[in-house]
Amino acid sequence: MDVAKTLTFSVGPLVDQTTGTNETYSFHGPVKFEGIIPATDMKGRVEIMRIDEGFNVAIRNTEIKVKLSCEKCLKPITTTIKLDFFEKQFFLDEPKQPEDPNDLYLVDKKHLTINLAEPLRQEIILHFPVVQVCSESCKGICPKCGTDLNKKKCKCKIDPKNDRSDKPLAALKELIKK
Ligand SMILES: [Zn+2]
Ligand SMILES: [Zn+2]
């Protein structure tokens, strides 16, 4: 299955139906999201319901494994992201006063399809684990010499007040902010 097709659904059968009519689809296939590295295909279930302005889309039981890196030692790790339920509205015509322009989704009226890639991308990122570590006992890398402290010790003296060895990424993010 083609990456672009996994998360594209036809609303053609529903467009001429009355409000409240719905269809359910399952999906399972390869996906691509900006800023996310999938480690598996994605699967889930979608219920599309005709509403006055377009369609209400309920997305259920979604699961995907994604690749992240350990915050302490930067080693690659794989995490399962499960999204039980969320819903979005897809509009046939752009509302004149959208509630939130960043959360506005439109039906592709030419092909009568909707694409769930962007709402799913945002939802996956919201569900990233708060603490991303390869193991709870990970010792991280030395902020001075870069030695992987899981593998060996180094001779650097770390000022305990300034110890960022457990959070190289946090230290990096602070640097970027300045
Ligand atoms: Zn680690
Ligand atoms: Zn060191």
Side-chain angles (χ1 to χ4, degrees):
M1 209 181 189
D2 176 340
V3 168
K5 282 186 185 152
T6 306
L7 301 175
T8 301
F9 298 88
S10 169
V11 293
L14 282 172
V15 75
D16 294 325
Q17 301 293 321
T18 50
T19 302
T21 313
N22 64 73
E23 291 275 355
T24 302
Y25 301 95
S26 291
F27 63 92
H28 188 178
V31 286
K32 205 168 130 186
F33 301 108
E34 206 190 312
I36 298 174
I37 308 164
T40 57
D41 285 354
M42 185 166 207
K43 61 178 180 184
R45 208 152 56 85
V46 180
E47 289 165 32
I48 306 173
M49 186 173 79
R50 184 75 166 97
I51 55 173
D52 285 343
E53 308 83 6
F55 302 92
N56 186 74
V57 182
I59 301 153
R60 293 177 197 274
N61 306 115
T62 307
E63 191 176 315
I64 188 171
K65 284 194 172 77
V66 298
K67 288 181 190 163
L68 300 169
S69 46
C70 172
E71 282 174 15
K72 293 185 177 179
C73 70
L74 308 181
K75 203 159 64 183
I77 50 174
T78 303
T79 303
T80 304
I81 309 274
K82 287 185 181 177
L83 310 172
D84 292 335
F85 174 82
F86 70 101
E87 36 183 15
K88 293 287 170 192
Q89 282 78 47
F90 279 75
F91 295 91
L92 281 161
D93 296 298
E94 197 165 337
K96 289 204 177 66
Q97 287 171 319
E99 277 175 38
D100 177 0
N102 294 322
D103 198 32
L104 176 67
Y105 300 105
L106 297 173
V107 175
D108 176 344
K109 286 212 280 189
K110 193 177 161 207
H111 302 102
L112 283 177
T113 55
I114 56 170
N115 187 287
L116 302 182
E118 182 55 23
L120 274 166
R121 186 186 75 88
Q122 293 187 13
E123 204 67 18
I124 290 169
I125 290 172
L126 286 175
H127 285 78
F128 274 1
V130 181
V131 183
Q132 299 167 16
V133 288
C134 62
S135 97
E136 279 180 24
S137 59
C138 176
K139 294 188 183 78
I141 52 178
C142 169
K144 281 194 179 165
C145 70
T147 297
D148 183 345
L149 301 172
N150 295 309
K151 290 184 185 145
K152 58 177 184 181
K153 282 185 182 163
C154 65
K155 293 201 175 80
C156 300
K157 286 203 179 86
I158 308 290
D159 176 353
K161 276 185 219 143
N162 255 325
D163 184 8
R164 294 281 168 76
S165 60
D166 61 335
K167 290 244 172 188
L169 275 186
L172 199 68
K173 277 179 196 156
E174 267 178 42
L175 281 178
I176 293 166
K177 266 188 226 156
K178 276 171 198 163

